[in-house]
Amino acid sequence: MSHENLLTDNPALYEARFPDADRLAGRWAEDCLRRHGAGNRVLDLGCGTGRDAAHLHAAGRTVVAADLSDAMLAHARTHHPGPDYLRADLRGFDLPHEPFDAVVCLDSALLYCHTNAELDGFLSSCRRSLVPGGLLVAEMRNGAYFLGRTALLDTPAVNGFTWQGTAYTSTTTLSLDRTAQLLRRTRIWTADDGTAPHEQRSAWRLLFPQELRGFLAAHGFETLDLYDGPGPRTAPAWQEGAAPGTSADRDRLHLVARLTGLG
């Protein structure tokens, strides 16, 4: 059985599995930036295929977009031009650019910081990269959702889609590593074209709202918004004009924080 990351290594397949024709995530991020008066220069960390970065660029912002995947970056430069794409590790980076007015980190990319040291590295790097008063905008899974809830853990999720004439099926199993505060995922891919199955293993750090506020404050960030919805991956999904929620209980967490420099 192959163990490579099928979607990360095949960005076009990733976009077919997770379509976002309406650029909902990019529109949500742009709304947050506009609502909080962010300046023009934006860093998109964990940019993936570049769809959100390209939307922010089309909205008139100067965008630098970074990812660790060379395949994703190559796809982004070809299919979503506009931003300046470069390779960087969000757990610790020092970019050769002028300070940014905002850092954007969507789709749980921040949760690849599995340890406290890695999260400190991310926030320290963001602080170095932002102008005073700059924003951090992030969207991720919500650790608090899993307190007493097992609906996402009880039964493997099976999904399928067809791309370029091949039918793909994924079977995804989630499990909690409570000691490490990680949500671990095992995903088995099969296809009807005769290729061998692919097994992917990944994990996200599960952060609780008050824990996240504490990390942010320690690095000089004031939390402006921290809520469960509406957002680009919630049901119902965010729409233009929707105000931030007032609770932080459901399965997604949305963050806007401002660098005050007082940490």
Side-chain angles (χ1 to χ4, degrees):
M1 180 179 290
S2 176
H3 291 273
E4 68 263 27
N5 191 323
L6 182 66
L7 296 185
T8 300
D9 295 341
N10 297 274
L13 190 63
Y14 178 97
E15 291 195 338
R17 170 63 184 89
F18 299 109
D20 188 12
D22 294 332
R23 297 296 183 264
L24 188 57
R27 285 164 40 216
W28 173 82
E30 171 60 24
D31 181 79
C32 291
L33 297 175
R34 188 170 54 246
R35 182 158 41 86
H36 289 282
N40 191 53
R41 291 181 49 77
V42 176
L43 171 62
D44 181 4
L45 287 173
C47 67
T49 64
R51 295 180 296 189
D52 304 326
H55 178 83
L56 295 173
H57 171 82
R61 299 189 183 274
T62 300
V63 182
V64 174
D67 203 279
L68 262 181
S69 168
D70 291 325
M72 286 288 195
L73 291 169
H75 179 91
R77 292 183 183 110
T78 299
H79 296 277
H80 303 291
D84 179 13
Y85 291 103
L86 52 84
R87 191 174 189 273
D89 188 337
L90 62 82
R91 295 167 293 189
F93 56 90
D94 192 5
L95 304 179
H97 290 80
E98 294 296 318
F100 297 93
D101 299 302
V103 171
V104 170
C105 192
L106 304 179
D107 199 21
S108 294
L110 186 155
L111 302 184
Y112 287 110
C113 298
H114 289 176
T115 66
N116 290 351
E118 290 175 348
L119 188 56
D120 284 332
F122 167 80
L123 290 171
S124 294
S125 299
C126 288
R127 179 172 179 164
R128 289 194 304 270
S129 300
L130 284 168
V131 300
L135 293 182
L136 171 60
V137 176
E139 182 271 336
M140 69 201 88
R141 288 183 178 270
N142 180 11
Y145 174 83
F146 292 91
L147 291 174
R149 294 186 179 99
T150 63
L152 295 179
L153 310 173
D154 291 338
T155 305
V158 179
N159 289 283
F161 70 105
T162 299
W163 182 65
Q164 293 187 346
T166 298
Y168 295 87
T169 301
S170 66
T171 302
T172 302
T173 303
L174 298 176
S175 63
L176 290 181
D177 180 340
R178 291 179 174 85
T179 300
Q181 266 182 244
L182 293 178
L183 179 66
R184 298 192 182 277
R185 180 182 70 184
T186 301
R187 176 173 284 165
I188 307 296
W189 284 99
T190 58
D192 67 355
D193 61 358
T195 58
H198 297 258
E199 180 182 272
Q200 296 173 210
R201 294 182 180 271
S202 57
W204 297 276
R205 170 71 178 266
L206 291 178
L207 291 168
F208 300 101
Q210 288 295 82
E211 179 187 23
L212 182 54
R213 288 180 185 273
F215 272 103
L216 289 163
H219 287 273
F221 286 89
E222 175 192 5
T223 300
L224 305 178
D225 290 328
L226 188 60
Y227 59 96
D228 51 17
R233 294 174 68 87
T234 63
W238 172 86
Q239 296 180 349
E240 268 82 6
T246 57
S247 64
D249 184 61
R250 289 178 290 173
D251 62 329
R252 305 302 291 191
L253 199 60
H254 307 86
L255 165 72
V256 181
R258 189 180 304 280
L259 179 62
T260 65
L262 300 178

